[in-house]
Amino acid sequence: MITIRSYQPTDYLQVIALLAEANLYADTWESEENLSSMVMANPDSIIVAVDQNKIIGNIFLIPYGAKIAFLFRLAVKKEYRHQGVATQILNYIEDMARKKGIIELCLFADEANKDLQSFYQKRQWISSKHPYYCLWKEIN
């Protein structure tokens, strides 16, 4: 049975392995220090799906003010894909956000990944009329 819960520090190695499998891992973004600081600021900022003590999915949530939040790093282990796990994670995070008074969620999907875009659209996510390109800069 799959359970969905907030991230715990002992989940770190499994979460980064999952992100690496999904080609979403970045050293700086997913450093243990960064994930710990996210959870310290907001205990529900990382949500995991668990099956028999194994992390099989996750999603990150970052508030943008009181009413909006960004979602990123939705990932499901390959052997659990197409079994409803991602939908369960999204439903959980949408319910949690609603209870916190968040009225809008935003996420970015790979422009070239039409299957991923279709996945979200089937779940009533609306695409922007403008294409976006993600940029970041290390400032250390």
Side-chain angles (χ1 to χ4, degrees):
M1 177 168 168
I2 296 170
T3 58
I4 300 178
R5 61 167 172 78
S6 296
Y7 170 91
Q8 301 165 359
T10 55
D11 298 332
Y12 180 71
L13 293 177
Q14 290 186 70
V15 167
I16 62 168
L18 171 60
L19 293 171
E21 177 188 273
N23 202 26
L24 295 172
Y25 175 77
D27 288 338
T28 303
W29 286 67
E30 277 74 52
S31 70
E32 194 165 6
E33 178 185 11
N34 199 52
L35 296 191
S36 293
S37 68
M38 286 172 55
V39 172
M40 286 183 83
N42 176 7
D44 294 324
S45 61
I46 304 172
I47 301 298
V48 296
V50 182
D51 183 28
Q52 300 178 14
N53 295 320
K54 181 168 74 169
I55 305 293
I56 61 163
N58 61 239
I59 194 166
F60 294 8
L61 177 141
I62 301 297
Y64 183 75
K67 300 289 182 184
I68 300 168
F70 284 92
L71 302 179
F72 62 104
R73 299 299 199 257
L74 175 60
V76 174
K77 287 189 81 52
K78 286 181 183 177
E79 64 264 29
Y80 286 87
R81 292 180 188 164
H82 307 289
Q83 298 178 33
V85 176
T87 298
Q88 285 180 275
I89 294 170
L90 280 176
N91 289 342
Y92 180 93
I93 204 128
E94 288 174 21
D95 289 342
M96 182 186 72
R98 205 175 286 112
K99 289 175 186 170
K100 292 180 178 232
I102 294 171
I103 61 171
E104 190 169 309
L105 296 170
C106 176
L107 58 80
F108 294 95
D110 185 343
E111 185 180 22
N113 190 334
K114 301 303 179 191
D115 290 338
L116 182 61
Q117 292 171 31
S118 176
F119 167 82
Y120 287 116
Q121 289 166 349
K122 287 177 184 174
R123 286 149 187 85
Q124 288 76 51
W125 286 77
I126 301 166
S127 64
S128 167
K129 293 181 179 18
H130 307 285
Y132 292 95
Y133 186 75
C134 182
L135 301 154
W136 69 89
K137 179 180 181 180
E138 291 185 23
I139 56 171
N140 56 359

